[in-house]
Amino acid sequence: MHRVAVIAVPPATTFDLSIPELVLGEMTVDGRPGYDVRICTAEPGPVVTGGSLHVTVPHGLEIVEDADTVIVTGTGARDDVDPRVLRALRRDDNVLAAEREPWLAIDPKPLAGDPG
């Protein structure tokens, strides 16, 4: 099963938090679930959103390490992101592309050598 970590960066956008689960959560492969989608954040528990709604996120950033895909949700705090989120994403061996600032493509499970 393909593991997806969705990182909620406060103030999180509830729409962005819901989409990965809605789209990927119903996908099946040979009659079995194809994706294990889990939402995580730097500090598990209530996460402030852009509105009056608060969302409880049970997982910490440790799930990023085992994820096959990592999605970072929209937030109103791009200039003041928790450094733990950045550390979970930035490792020397997992940056795939940086063709234009400030966007990076991150591979949570970097390949060492030929994947073939």
Side-chain angles (χ1 to χ4, degrees):
M1 180 179 310
H2 191 89
R3 292 173 295 225
V4 179
V6 180
I7 301 178
V9 179
T13 305
T14 54
F15 179 78
D16 290 352
L17 283 173
S18 67
I19 294 302
E21 183 71 34
L22 288 171
V23 173
L24 301 174
E26 299 298 318
M27 300 289 293
T28 60
V29 176
D30 296 327
R32 297 188 318 239
Y35 294 90
D36 176 21
V37 180
R38 295 182 185 201
I39 299 174
C40 65
T41 190
E43 193 67 41
V47 172
V48 176
T49 65
S52 62
L53 181 67
H54 288 232
V55 176
T56 300
V57 177
H59 302 287
L61 295 171
E62 66 278 354
I63 69 168
V64 170
E65 189 171 319
D66 292 328
D68 298 304
T69 300
V70 177
I71 299 170
V72 180
T73 64
T75 179
R78 289 289 183 224
D79 295 327
D80 192 24
V81 176
D82 188 310
R84 295 175 290 180
V85 172
L86 299 177
R87 279 194 302 274
L89 293 172
R90 290 183 181 160
R91 295 190 320 247
D92 291 340
D93 58 352
N94 69 345
V95 177
L96 296 177
E99 292 185 17
R100 80 177 177 104
E101 292 289 329
W103 303 104
L104 298 176
I106 307 288
D107 178 9
K109 289 184 167 182
L111 297 172
D114 183 6

